[in-house]
Amino acid sequence: MTKLNTFEQAVADYEPVLGLETHIELDTRTKMFCGCSTAFGAEPNTQVCPVCLALPGALPVANKAAVEATIKIGLALNCRIAEWTRFARKNYFYPDMPKNFQTSQYEEPLCEDGYVEVVVDGEVHRVEIERVHLEEDTGKTLHVGGATGRIHGATESLVDYNRAGIPLVEIVTRPVPGTGALAPEVARAYTAELRDIVRSLGVSDVRMEQGSLRCDVNLSLNKPGEEWGTRTETKNVNSLRSVERAVRYEVRRQSALLDAGERIFQETRHFHEATGETSPGRSKEEATDYRYFPEPDLAVMEPSREWVEELRAALPELPRKRRERLQAAWALGDKEMQSVVNADAVELIEATVAAGTTASGAVKWWLGELSRRANESGDELGALAITPEQVAELQGMVDDGRLNDKLARQVIDGVLAGEGSPAEVAAKRGLEVVSDTGALEAAVDEAIAANPAVADKIRGGTHAAAGVLIGAVMKATKGQADAGTVRQIIIDKLS
């Protein structure tokens, strides 16, 4: 196997070109072409009917709510909404696709020619949207008996058709050149922005861990000034962090192959969460391989301009405007707000403030200690086992003088370990600040007696020397004394 280049070496020699295809399951009550439920987590093959199983004689009927949701997405992405559109059959064999074709859109997508802007490292990157089209999802194949969950090594494969026929929106970007070393961060920022936009519309929960948002990452490399290279497509990447890692790995892998004079094959690849690596899937098809033709069982759709404008007028506040409003309300500078966005913490901080704490307190914990914990564990920030309400409670205890920051970090340990709320953890572990002035004065007296030379300096007016005595008191109280109160007691005693 060719040794991978470093990322820095790769982007010094080659220019990455991104392309992202994002699939979003819509949050409709019923499937795209039938009345079956779309509820997540049902027993396998209990939410199926003759239409979504493609039994002979069954005829589809398009879900108006799904069409409306797709138009909303297109409008929010600055797209042109088609005046005339239709469905097509995309023909290919896959075990979890009961029809042997997917009802999708091809030459006449519902939405075209949009864009999304993201900010990375202070630079604005415009990602152009080629198309937003509506289709149906496939079922789900489970490979069992092996160690990896993939077909290699499995003893049997099971198919669950509950997901087959769920409304699915595919958002396809045009190629995105010019990102250079920021390509992984741009890919992540775009996916995060797209997720936030769709969530704000209320048309999908866009939960990547449940598969309601799945991202296919296309990447190619070329030497500066040369034609774009051959692309690979890493399929079904299911977290923001993994989108970034997939781009980074493919840049390193492809550059090493090109340096060795080897060929890049146009293929799909699998992303492995445990290692951050990709592996070959299958050779990548072109559109002609799918033998598209118009779906004969569904009528042409002609969204009226009045309906489209009604939907446009009813769009909610979109994430970019919302961030601008929150930045002003929270009194954050551009760099600090960008750090909040990069950490995917906007909603977490907003919910924490709504739970009763200050923006500065919420930002301190989510961008500081909790971001550090998430980075160490490799989790998304929002996946940590602590809620905005608990963070607000924690900061409230700090504000009330019941905890200092050191003790608060120990309380976080307990909350993340499932020991209860911050107040419960502090009580169980005996972590609250010592507020008994009698006990503090006794500890100060012991510190003065043990450090007479330091005490003399303070008596002589060198108050900065109080830090030595404060440290002694903090050690004696196991960090549970309030440093400000201790300092004042010391100064009062020695002045």
Side-chain angles (χ1 to χ4, degrees):
M1 178 180 174
T2 304
K3 183 180 178 182
L4 266 62
N5 288 334
T6 66
F7 181 77
E8 292 72 20
Q9 176 186 356
V11 294
D13 295 335
Y14 296 94
E15 293 182 347
V17 178
L18 288 170
L20 296 154
E21 300 174 22
T22 308
H23 295 83
I24 296 170
E25 284 187 355
L26 297 177
D27 193 18
T28 55
R29 290 188 303 104
T30 58
K31 292 185 180 181
M32 185 62 228
F33 300 114
C34 67
C36 289
S37 171
T38 60
F40 181 80
E43 288 294 314
N45 297 312
T46 59
Q47 296 178 171
V48 293
C49 73
V51 173
C52 57
L53 289 179
L55 299 185
L59 291 174
V61 176
N63 186 331
K64 182 180 178 182
V67 175
E68 179 175 303
T70 307
I71 293 174
K72 288 180 179 178
I73 292 172
L75 291 171
L77 298 179
N78 306 293
C79 289
R80 175 178 59 81
I81 309 303
E83 296 186 14
W84 184 93
T85 183
R86 64 182 172 185
F87 288 98
R89 291 189 179 184
K90 181 180 181 180
N91 295 276
Y92 65 102
F93 171 76
Y94 216 67
D96 56 15
M97 193 168 63
K99 298 177 180 178
N100 250 6
F101 65 85
Q102 181 185 33
T103 305
S104 181
Q105 293 186 307
Y106 178 46
E107 293 179 321
E108 300 89 12
L110 192 49
C111 317
E112 292 183 288
D113 301 327
Y115 66 88
V116 171
E117 290 184 338
V118 297
V119 180
V120 178
D121 258 14
E123 295 181 28
V124 177
H125 296 265
R126 175 173 284 204
V127 180
E128 294 188 352
I129 306 296
E130 178 178 293
R131 58 191 285 136
V132 178
H133 67 255
L134 184 56
E135 59 190 20
E136 59 182 340
D137 209 346
T138 60
K140 185 175 182 180
T141 304
L142 305 174
H143 304 294
V144 297
T148 64
R150 300 195 183 279
I151 193 168
H152 300 293
T155 58
E156 56 187 329
S157 297
L158 306 174
V159 182
D160 178 7
Y161 288 116
N162 281 350
R163 195 175 70 184
I166 286 180
L168 193 67
V169 168
E170 182 171 359
I171 302 168
V172 182
T173 74
R174 291 193 171 94
V176 188
T179 56
L182 295 177
E185 288 84 356
V186 171
R188 176 177 180 147
Y190 164 78
T191 308
E193 185 74 4
L194 195 60
R195 180 203 59 186
D196 292 347
I197 289 171
V198 173
R199 183 184 290 154
S200 75
L201 298 173
V203 297
S204 173
D205 61 13
V206 283
R207 297 183 64 174
M208 298 187 81
E209 74 279 7
Q210 289 187 359
S212 53
L213 187 155
R214 309 191 292 274
C215 187
D216 299 341
V217 177
N218 290 270
L219 187 103
S220 68
L221 296 180
N222 60 274
K223 288 281 190 180
E226 296 183 357
E227 291 185 1
W228 292 344
T230 302
R231 66 185 172 92
T232 62
E233 180 181 12
T234 304
K235 300 286 288 184
N236 295 330
V237 185
N238 64 0
S239 76
L240 298 179
R241 178 171 176 264
S242 295
V243 168
E244 182 176 339
R245 293 169 74 205
V247 173
R248 194 173 296 276
Y249 181 82
E250 275 299 289
V251 168
R252 296 178 63 200
R253 185 188 70 86
Q254 290 186 28
S255 68
L257 290 174
L258 292 171
D259 283 350
E262 298 185 37
R263 178 184 170 193
I264 305 296
F265 290 96
Q266 184 168 324
E267 62 184 357
T268 64
R269 297 183 68 84
H270 300 297
F271 181 74
H272 302 277
E273 291 283 349
T275 63
E277 299 175 352
T278 67
S279 62
R282 65 179 192 275
S283 61
K284 178 61 180 169
E285 301 88 347
E286 299 289 351
T288 51
D289 295 320
Y290 293 121
R291 303 185 308 284
Y292 284 99
F293 64 85
E295 169 57 70
D297 293 333
L298 288 166
V300 166
M301 295 189 298
E302 298 178 279
S304 73
R305 296 303 91 184
E306 293 78 14
W307 184 35
V308 171
E309 291 310 312
E310 285 175 10
L311 295 176
R312 190 193 305 275
L315 289 179
E317 180 184 39
L318 294 177
R320 188 165 186 173
K321 290 292 184 183
R322 176 169 163 242
R323 289 195 298 268
E324 291 172 356
R325 173 176 58 80
L326 291 174
Q327 180 178 353
W330 295 345
L332 298 181
D334 290 344
K335 286 187 176 180
E336 194 170 16
M337 189 63 189
Q338 192 57 51
S339 295
V340 170
V341 173
N342 293 344
D344 197 23
V346 174
E347 291 188 353
L348 295 168
I349 291 170
E350 185 178 26
T352 304
V353 172
T357 193
T358 62
S360 59
V363 169
K364 176 182 74 174
W365 292 113
W366 287 111
L367 289 194
E369 184 66 17
L370 293 172
S371 283
R372 184 182 67 80
R373 304 290 185 103
N375 289 335
E376 286 178 352
S377 63
D379 292 322
E380 300 287 343
L381 189 59
L384 293 178
I386 188 168
T387 67
E389 292 75 18
Q390 289 171 330
V391 174
E393 180 184 344
L394 181 80
Q395 182 58 36
M397 295 176 73
V398 173
D399 293 340
D400 292 342
R402 296 168 59 190
L403 293 175
N404 55 35
D405 283 359
K406 179 180 179 181
L407 294 173
R409 287 191 286 272
Q410 296 178 55
V411 169
I412 288 173
D413 289 336
V415 174
L416 294 178
E419 296 175 17
S421 69
E424 290 169 339
V425 171
K428 290 175 185 175
R429 295 193 176 194
L431 293 175
E432 292 199 32
V433 167
V434 176
S435 56
D436 181 350
T437 54
L440 292 178
E441 288 190 2
V444 168
D445 289 339
E446 290 180 11
I448 290 172
N451 298 274
V454 174
D456 287 341
K457 286 183 181 181
I458 298 170
R459 290 189 183 99
T462 309
H463 289 181
V468 175
L469 300 185
I470 293 170
V473 173
M474 296 301 286
K475 183 176 180 181
T477 60
K478 298 180 180 178
Q480 291 180 250
D482 178 72
T485 302
V486 171
R487 186 179 190 281
Q488 191 58 53
I489 292 173
I490 291 169
I491 300 302
D492 289 346
K493 283 181 175 290
L494 299 178
S495 295

